[in-house]
Amino acid sequence: MAAPPEPTRGPRIALAAAIAGLSLGLDLWSKAWVWNNLRDQAAWKVSDKLLHFDFACNPGSAFGFLNDVDWARYFFIVITLAAVGYLVHLARTLPTTSRAAFVAIGLIAGGALGNLHDRLVRVYAGDYCVVDFIVVYIWPGKTWPAFNIADAVLVAGVLLFLLVLPRTEAPTSNGSPT
């Protein structure tokens, strides 16, 4: 019995684009809400001991990486553009058998574009920065570093991609799976 035909690429790319668009939209909406409601205001406590929304302006990256380096913004813009370019390449070349791989590409792209948006347009106290606001208490009195929706979907996309990639057939030199 012959294997079913591989799904066509167009719907898979549309899926990745839709996931990226939804992720980006949710990220930008949440950051706009934080910018308008929590900037220079007290934190909004969702749960006293578990979750707060608190405005933070992050000029660097996760865990404060490169926060105090003048060229960090440009570095992260270039890295993000290269990563999004690579994601487009993956969407055009990955075998279409794994829907989850295209969901992962969409999540990663949406998260990357959300933080890129901030690096291009958000200025607070004279510095370009990424708006972070989700504060999770990992144990009493100790928080995980603040993050945002873009960070969350990007990490979820990377984890999903790492889970599905080993099960995704590699394309041969002519572009079809082995």
Side-chain angles (χ1 to χ4, degrees), residues 44-53 134-137 147:
W44 188 54
K45 296 178 182 179
V46 178
S47 168
D48 277 341
K49 298 178 183 177
L50 180 63
L51 176 67
H52 294 182
F53 292 157
I134 302 169
V135 179
V136 176
Y137 285 80
F147 61 98

Side-chain angles (χ1 to χ4, degrees), residues 24-42:
L24 176 60
L26 180 60
D27 178 64
L28 295 180
W29 172 82
S30 65
K31 288 175 180 172
W33 180 84
V34 168
W35 186 265
N36 292 327
N37 294 289
L38 296 179
R39 183 174 34 132
D40 301 322
Q41 302 294 321

Side-chain angles (χ1 to χ4, degrees), residues 143-157:
T143 62
W144 187 259
F147 61 98
N148 57 45
I149 300 295
D151 299 334
V153 297
L154 198 151
V155 168

Side-chain angles (χ1 to χ4, degrees), residues 152-169:
V153 297
L154 198 151
V155 168
V158 168
L159 292 174
L160 178 60
F161 199 72
L162 291 173
L163 288 172
V164 300
L165 189 61
R167 297 186 310 224
T168 303
E169 293 180 26

